[in-house]
Amino acid sequence: MRPARRGRRLGLVLTLVLALGGCAGVALRPGSTVPLVPEVDLQRYAGDWFVVAHIPTERDADSHNAVENYSLLPDGRIATTYRNRLGGFGGRHKLMTPTARVVPGTGNALWAMRFQIPGTPLVWPVDYEYRIAHLAPDYSLAIIARSQRDYLWIFQRSAEFSEADLERYRRLIAGWGYDASRLQRVPQQWPNPADGSLPPRGPHPSFGLSP
């Protein structure tokens, strides 16, 4: 990209960032039909998760072997590393490294997530809701939902997820007001049949943390 064009693009991004500055903020919505677990032990919640099912955004609708890691940062924020393959087990690698902060007074169950603007060192000044709506007592499974009932993710410590499991959680989220027919499995197969790779572990090195 030519310097002048790059400068114009960066200028447009900065203008958009400033315009969106007033949109930041995730608030507790007591009237939501989507539950919020009463308490989350962040130390137990941290670590690696397999994304086994989701109602996806447009950006990850064809995910394969999706894995997420949460690591606690010294300043209290939560480093998030999302890795997957798009379009198949041998598809394009995708990496996202947003950071989250806990919304006070929510028992660590409601987070505000911020993402980096692609192609820049800037971060969107918009908080995206991350709502821990269901958590197994042994921290083996979690469901991340949103008050708007648009997107949803099911995480497990194990990559195994049966059709019976899928149907069970469809019934659960239907009770929250979701269109449960949109819930779909995220294909997980390890070692990866395309290249023999094993699940990636730990945070991305950009956070300066050890796995």
Side-chain angles (χ1 to χ4, degrees):
M1 183 183 295
R2 294 178 179 177
R5 185 177 300 174
R6 186 183 302 113
R8 286 196 298 271
R9 179 185 176 190
L10 183 57
L12 288 172
V13 169
L14 287 170
T15 300
L16 181 60
V17 166
L18 292 173
L20 289 173
C23 299
V26 167
L28 183 63
R29 296 176 173 85
S32 175
T33 60
V34 180
L36 189 70
V37 299
E39 190 73 32
V40 177
D41 181 333
L42 293 179
Q43 292 288 348
R44 292 185 67 190
Y45 191 83
D48 298 308
W49 294 89
F50 294 94
V51 186
V52 293
H54 61 185
I55 297 176
T57 69
E58 292 181 357
R59 299 180 65 186
D60 61 349
D62 199 12
S63 296
H64 287 64
N65 279 357
V67 179
E68 188 123 315
N69 174 272
Y70 299 104
S71 297
L72 306 183
L73 294 170
D75 62 5
R77 292 181 302 154
I78 302 156
T80 305
T81 303
Y82 173 75
R83 304 174 175 101
N84 74 358
R85 295 286 192 102
L86 291 178
F89 292 110
R92 178 172 61 87
H93 286 276
K94 181 177 181 180
L95 170 70
M96 299 180 73
T97 55
T99 55
R101 60 176 176 80
V102 171
V103 176
T106 64
N108 297 329
L110 183 63
W111 301 2
M113 189 78 73
R114 287 200 175 187
F115 292 81
Q116 186 172 346
I117 300 173
T120 79
L122 304 174
V123 175
W124 287 110
V126 177
D127 293 326
Y128 293 89
E129 183 187 37
Y130 179 108
R131 188 181 188 94
I132 304 176
H134 177 81
L135 183 60
D138 63 356
Y139 285 65
S140 62
L141 181 143
I143 300 180
I144 311 310
R146 284 166 45 88
S147 299
Q148 298 93 322
R149 302 189 302 276
D150 46 8
Y151 311 122
L152 181 142
W153 297 264
I154 300 180
F155 296 164
Q156 281 193 160
R157 300 296 188 181
S158 165
E160 300 296 328
F161 193 67
S162 69
E163 284 299 318
D165 292 331
L166 186 63
E167 289 306 314
R168 179 185 309 119
Y169 291 109
R170 277 189 175 134
R171 291 192 296 270
L172 177 65
I173 69 171
W176 301 345
Y178 271 92
D179 177 359
S181 67
R182 298 172 58 211
L183 183 67
Q184 62 190 56
R185 177 188 297 276
V186 176
Q188 295 277 353
Q189 190 172 340
W190 301 100
N192 187 320
D195 58 14
S197 60
L198 297 176
R201 302 289 187 180
H204 189 265
S206 65
F207 290 116
L209 300 170
S210 300

